[in-house]
Coordinates of all heavy atoms in Angstrom, one line a residue:
F1 N 0.8 -1.2 0.0 CA 0.0 0.0 0.0 C 0.9 1.3 0.0 O 0.4 2.4 0.2 CB -1.0 0.0 1.2 CG -1.9 -1.2 1.1 CD1 -1.6 -2.4 1.8 CD2 -3.1 -1.2 0.4 CE1 -2.4 -3.5 1.7 CE2 -3.9 -2.3 0.3 CZ -3.6 -3.4 1.0
V2 N 2.1 1.1 -0.2 CA 3.1 2.1 -0.6 C 4.2 1.5 -1.4 O 4.5 0.3 -1.2 CB 3.7 2.8 0.7 CG1 4.5 1.8 1.5 CG2 4.6 3.9 0.3
W3 N 4.7 2.1 -2.4 CA 5.6 1.5 -3.4 C 7.0 1.6 -3.0 O 7.5 2.6 -2.6 CB 5.4 2.1 -4.8 CG 6.3 1.6 -5.8 CD1 7.2 2.2 -6.5 CD2 6.3 0.2 -6.3 NE1 7.8 1.4 -7.4 CE2 7.2 0.1 -7.3 CE3 5.6 -0.9 -6.0 CZ2 7.5 -1.0 -8.0 CZ3 5.8 -2.1 -6.7 CH2 6.8 -2.1 -7.7
M4 N 7.7 0.4 -3.0 CA 9.2 0.3 -2.8 C 9.8 -0.5 -3.9 O 9.4 -1.6 -4.1 CB 9.4 -0.3 -1.4 CG 8.8 0.4 -0.2 SD 9.0 -0.5 1.3 CE 7.8 -1.9 1.0
E5 N 10.8 0.0 -4.6 CA 11.4 -0.7 -5.7 C 12.9 -0.7 -5.6 O 13.5 0.2 -5.0 CB 10.9 -0.1 -7.0 CG 11.5 1.2 -7.4 CD 11.1 1.7 -8.8 OE1 10.0 1.3 -9.2 OE2 11.9 2.5 -9.4
A6 N 13.5 -1.7 -6.3 CA 15.0 -1.7 -6.4 C 15.4 -0.8 -7.5 O 14.6 -0.2 -8.3 CB 15.4 -3.1 -6.7
N7 N 16.7 -0.5 -7.6 CA 17.2 0.3 -8.7 C 16.8 -0.4 -10.1 O 17.1 -1.5 -10.3 CB 18.7 0.4 -8.7 CG 19.1 1.2 -7.5 OD1 18.5 2.2 -7.1 ND2 20.3 0.9 -6.9
P8 N 16.1 0.3 -11.0 CA 15.7 -0.2 -12.2 C 16.9 -0.6 -13.1 O 17.9 0.0 -13.0 CB 14.8 0.9 -12.8 CG 15.2 2.1 -12.2 CD 15.7 1.8 -10.8
L9 N 16.7 -1.6 -14.0 CA 17.7 -2.0 -15.0 C 17.3 -1.6 -16.4 O 16.3 -1.9 -16.9 CB 17.8 -3.5 -14.9 CG 18.7 -4.2 -16.0 CD1 20.2 -3.8 -15.7 CD2 18.6 -5.7 -16.0
K10 N 18.2 -0.8 -17.0 CA 18.0 -0.4 -18.4 C 18.1 -1.6 -19.3 O 19.1 -2.3 -19.3 CB 19.1 0.6 -18.8 CG 19.0 2.0 -18.1 CD 17.8 2.8 -18.7 CE 17.8 4.2 -18.0 NZ 16.7 5.0 -18.6
L11 N 17.1 -1.8 -20.1 CA 17.1 -3.0 -21.0 C 17.8 -2.7 -22.3 O 17.6 -1.6 -22.8 CB 15.7 -3.5 -21.2 CG 15.0 -4.1 -20.1 CD1 13.5 -4.4 -20.5 CD2 15.6 -5.4 -19.6
P12 N 18.6 -3.6 -22.8 CA 19.3 -3.3 -24.1 C 18.2 -3.2 -25.2 O 17.3 -4.0 -25.3 CB 20.2 -4.5 -24.3 CG 19.7 -5.6 -23.3 CD 19.0 -4.9 -22.2
G13 N 18.3 -2.1 -25.9 CA 17.4 -1.8 -27.0 C 16.1 -1.1 -26.5 O 15.3 -0.7 -27.3
G14 N 16.0 -0.9 -25.2 CA 14.8 -0.2 -24.7 C 13.6 -1.0 -24.7 O 13.6 -2.2 -24.9
V15 N 12.4 -0.3 -24.4 CA 11.1 -1.0 -24.4 C 10.2 -0.2 -25.3 O 10.1 1.0 -25.2 CB 10.6 -1.0 -22.9 CG1 9.2 -1.6 -22.9 CG2 11.5 -1.7 -22.0
H16 N 9.5 -0.9 -26.1 CA 8.7 -0.3 -27.1 C 7.3 -0.9 -27.2 O 7.2 -2.1 -26.8 CB 9.3 -0.3 -28.5 CG 10.7 0.2 -28.5 ND1 11.0 1.5 -28.5 CD2 11.9 -0.5 -28.5 CE1 12.4 1.7 -28.5 NE2 12.9 0.5 -28.5
S17 N 6.3 -0.2 -27.7 CA 5.0 -0.8 -27.8 C 5.0 -1.7 -29.1 O 5.8 -1.6 -30.0 CB 3.9 0.3 -28.0 OG 4.2 1.1 -29.1
S18 N 4.0 -2.6 -29.1 CA 3.8 -3.5 -30.2 C 4.9 -4.5 -30.4 O 5.1 -5.1 -31.5 CB 3.5 -2.7 -31.5 OG 2.4 -1.9 -31.4
V19 N 5.7 -4.7 -29.4 CA 6.8 -5.6 -29.4 C 6.6 -6.7 -28.3 O 6.3 -6.3 -27.2 CB 8.2 -4.9 -29.2 CG1 9.3 -6.0 -29.1 CG2 8.5 -4.0 -30.3
W20 N 6.8 -7.9 -28.6 CA 6.6 -9.0 -27.6 C 7.9 -9.1 -26.8 O 9.0 -9.2 -27.3 CB 6.3 -10.3 -28.2 CG 4.8 -10.4 -28.7 CD1 4.4 -10.2 -30.0 CD2 3.7 -10.6 -27.9 NE1 3.0 -10.3 -30.1 CE2 2.6 -10.6 -28.8 CE3 3.5 -10.8 -26.5 CZ2 1.3 -10.8 -28.3 CZ3 2.2 -11.0 -26.1 CH2 1.1 -11.0 -27.0
Y21 N 7.7 -9.2 -25.4 CA 8.8 -9.5 -24.5 C 8.4 -10.7 -23.6 O 7.3 -10.8 -23.2 CB 9.0 -8.3 -23.6 CG 9.5 -7.0 -24.3 CD1 8.5 -6.1 -24.9 CD2 10.8 -6.7 -24.5 CE1 8.9 -5.0 -25.5 CE2 11.2 -5.6 -25.2 CZ 10.2 -4.7 -25.7 OH 10.6 -3.6 -26.4
R22 N 9.4 -11.6 -23.4 CA 9.2 -12.7 -22.5 C 9.7 -12.4 -21.2 O 10.9 -12.1 -21.0 CB 9.9 -13.9 -23.1 CG 9.8 -15.2 -22.2 CD 9.9 -16.5 -23.0 NE 8.8 -16.6 -24.0 CZ 8.9 -17.4 -25.0 NH1 9.9 -18.2 -25.3 NH2 7.8 -17.5 -25.9
L23 N 8.9 -12.5 -20.2 CA 9.2 -12.1 -18.8 C 9.1 -13.4 -18.0 O 8.1 -14.1 -18.0 CB 8.3 -11.1 -18.2 CG 8.6 -10.5 -16.9 CD1 8.0 -9.1 -16.8 CD2 7.9 -11.3 -15.7
R24 N 10.2 -13.7 -17.2 CA 10.2 -14.8 -16.3 C 10.7 -14.3 -14.9 O 11.6 -13.5 -14.8 CB 11.2 -15.9 -16.8 CG 10.8 -16.6 -18.1 CD 11.8 -17.7 -18.5 NE 11.7 -18.8 -17.6 CZ 12.6 -19.3 -16.8 NH1 13.8 -18.6 -16.7 NH2 12.5 -20.3 -16.0
A25 N 9.9 -14.8 -13.9 CA 10.3 -14.3 -12.5 C 10.2 -15.5 -11.6 O 9.2 -16.3 -11.6 CB 9.3 -13.3 -12.1
T26 N 11.2 -15.7 -10.8 CA 11.3 -16.9 -9.9 C 11.4 -16.3 -8.5 O 12.3 -15.5 -8.2 CB 12.6 -17.7 -10.2 OG1 12.4 -18.3 -11.5 CG2 12.7 -18.9 -9.2
A27 N 10.5 -16.8 -7.6 CA 10.5 -16.4 -6.2 C 10.8 -17.6 -5.3 O 10.0 -18.6 -5.4 CB 9.2 -15.8 -5.8
V28 N 11.9 -17.6 -4.6 CA 12.2 -18.7 -3.7 C 12.6 -18.0 -2.3 O 13.6 -17.3 -2.3 CB 13.4 -19.5 -4.2 CG1 13.8 -20.6 -3.2 CG2 13.0 -20.1 -5.6
G29 N 11.9 -18.4 -1.3 CA 12.2 -17.8 0.0 C 12.0 -16.3 -0.1 O 11.0 -15.8 -0.5
C30 N 13.1 -15.5 0.4 CA 13.0 -14.1 0.3 C 13.8 -13.5 -0.9 O 14.2 -12.4 -0.9 CB 13.5 -13.5 1.6 SG 12.5 -13.8 3.0
N31 N 13.9 -14.3 -1.9 CA 14.7 -13.9 -3.1 C 13.9 -14.0 -4.4 O 13.1 -15.0 -4.5 CB 16.0 -14.8 -3.2 CG 16.9 -14.7 -2.0 OD1 17.7 -13.9 -1.9 ND2 16.6 -15.7 -1.1
I32 N 14.1 -13.0 -5.2 CA 13.4 -13.0 -6.5 C 14.4 -12.7 -7.6 O 15.3 -11.8 -7.5 CB 12.3 -12.0 -6.6 CG1 11.2 -12.2 -5.5 CG2 11.7 -11.9 -8.0 CD1 10.1 -11.2 -5.5
A33 N 14.4 -13.5 -8.7 CA 15.3 -13.3 -9.9 C 14.3 -13.2 -11.1 O 13.3 -14.0 -11.2 CB 16.3 -14.4 -10.0
A34 N 14.7 -12.3 -12.0 CA 13.8 -12.1 -13.2 C 14.6 -11.9 -14.4 O 15.8 -11.3 -14.3 CB 12.8 -11.0 -12.9

């Protein structure tokens, strides 16, 4: 109910509309990798 984020990562090539991106996120214990 309040936003807290890590330092964002610049993606190579940027992010654009009308382009498909595959997102994978793994959560184990108190760790998340994506």
Side-chain angles (χ1 to χ4, degrees):
F1 301 93
V2 62
W3 178 242
M4 300 172 288
E5 72 176 27
N7 293 324
L9 173 69
K10 292 285 185 179
L11 290 176
V15 179
H16 308 281
S17 61
S18 302
V19 177
W20 284 100
Y21 297 86
R22 177 157 295 164
L23 186 152
R24 295 182 71 245
T26 298
V28 178
C30 291
N31 302 274
I32 298 175

